[in-house]
Amino acid sequence: MNRKYRKTIIAGNWKMNLLASQVKLFAESLKTLVPKAKWCETVVCVPYVMIPAALKAFKDSRVAVGAENVNENPKGAYTGEVSTAMLTDIGAKYVIIGHSERRQYYGETDFSVNAKLKAALEAGLSPILCVGESLQQREMDVTNEFITYQVKAALADIPVEKIRRIVIAYEPIWAIGTGKTATSDQAEEVCGEIRALIRKLYGARVARAVSILYGGSMNEKNAAELLSKPDIDGGLIGGASLVPEKFAAIINAANQDGE
Ligand code: PGA
């Protein structure tokens, strides 16, 4: 973390979990466990239909609510889809874009990820762009090349004045939901590469200010170590974000030394 130059962000990705009644219980217990998050911005990204329940449950707290996906088109005949304007209209602040599960199971491409990012930035949402290599790519030693390609493709034609609200999450696919976390050195190396690439594309100021998160089996036990790295500005957390005690412990790790 580097709190001088950029925001620390702990974001939960609930995926397809929790019903409305559970959202309420989750929020009540998180609020007692984390009475005040001093430093880090806390976010929960939830299924579309749960956004109103989450907004209501977190109303009197500083937890922001986000979506897990969005459509790239402004409006129209796209049955089953949700637009950026709909998200801002109901009060969502963040949106996850290009999660590996969406790329893998729902055919999202670098092209659609780029279009979604543009739409989200245009609408004033803070997109959390996910990138990450497969196990095979890591074993073939092409991680950095692949991440560079993915980030460049996602950011194609996005001008510097639009880029500021973006958050990038490095999520190695082999670490997601597997219990296999990247070591803090592995995670730091790639997050550092991403920052260097942003510097090349957008300059030192932007690179210094962009929050880069790690995701992939981050939990209450490994969070402090990962967050101690200078280029890891927070986490995108799946499984552990469903359990208030675990999520709170990660938030508290991000708040350490936080006077
Ligand atoms: P995980 O998921 O923490 O359960 O590994 C992370 C993610 O998919 O964002």
Side-chain angles (χ1 to χ4, degrees):
M1 296 183 285
N2 183 332
R3 294 198 185 108
K4 194 166 158 209
Y5 294 118
R6 44 194 179 258
K7 259 195 227 167
T8 303
I9 300 172
I10 298 296
N13 173 11
W14 285 0
K15 310 192 180 184
M16 200 169 71
N17 294 294
L18 303 189
L19 301 177
S21 57
Q22 297 171 305
V23 173
K24 192 165 176 253
L25 290 176
F26 179 97
E28 276 162 15
S29 82
L30 193 72
K31 281 187 268 182
T32 60
L33 294 163
V34 189
K36 242 199 233 150
K38 289 194 202 86
W39 293 98
C40 85
E41 167 119 345
T42 307
V43 186
V44 288
C45 293
V46 309
Y48 293 135
V49 290
M50 291 301 159
I51 293 174
L55 283 166
K56 191 169 169 214
F58 286 109
K59 201 172 75 187
D60 51 352
S61 76
R62 288 170 54 194
V63 177
V65 175
E68 300 174 10
N69 182 30
V70 73
N71 188 275
E72 60 272 39
N73 297 292
K75 65 176 186 171
Y78 301 100
T79 303
E81 292 296 300
V82 169
S83 70
T84 53
M86 291 170 184
L87 293 183
T88 54
D89 191 41
I90 55 168
K93 295 265 184 299
Y94 283 82
V95 58
I96 297 174
I97 290 181
H99 190 280
S100 61
E101 285 153 15
R102 296 220 51 91
R103 295 181 194 249
Q104 199 178 338
Y105 307 142
Y106 301 100
E108 287 200 10
T109 61
D110 291 316
F111 185 76
S112 62
V113 167
N114 175 246
K116 286 176 185 212
L117 262 185
K118 286 176 179 160
L121 290 166
E122 192 63 42
L125 289 160
S126 291
I128 303 175
L129 163 68
C130 299
V131 295
E133 83 285 4
S134 65
L135 184 58
Q136 202 188 16
Q137 287 165 327
R138 178 156 283 270
E139 285 172 350
M140 284 164 62
D141 207 14
V142 293
T143 298
N144 287 342
E145 287 85 341
F146 181 69
I147 301 290
T148 299
Y149 159 77
Q150 249 188 346
V151 173
K152 270 190 178 166
L155 301 182
D157 302 324
I158 299 181
V160 67
E161 62 276 11
K162 285 272 162 63
I163 205 79
R164 293 186 193 282
R165 241 174 308 102
I166 210 170
V167 178
I168 301 176
Y170 166 54
E171 297 208 306
I173 297 171
W174 48 271
I176 296 178
T178 58
K180 267 195 220 153
T181 321
T183 64
S184 56
D185 287 338
Q186 284 173 325
E188 169 66 12
E189 187 192 340
V190 180
C191 291
E193 290 282 344
I194 294 173
R195 197 176 307 285
L197 175 62
I198 298 295
R199 189 175 304 123
K200 231 161 95 195
L201 297 174
Y202 294 104
R205 269 231 191 123
V206 176
R208 208 167 56 181
V210 67
S211 297
I212 302 178
L213 318 183
Y214 168 77
S217 299
M218 193 175 197
N219 59 36
E220 70 287 6
K221 297 193 188 84
N222 57 32
E225 164 69 17
L226 286 158
L227 294 170
S228 71
K229 297 292 180 184
D231 285 308
I232 302 179
D233 303 310
L236 181 58
I237 298 122
S241 77
L242 296 169
V243 183
E245 289 74 15
K246 294 186 180 180
F247 196 46
I250 298 171
I251 298 166
N252 288 332
N255 272 326
Q256 69 199 345
D257 314 313
E259 284 313 318

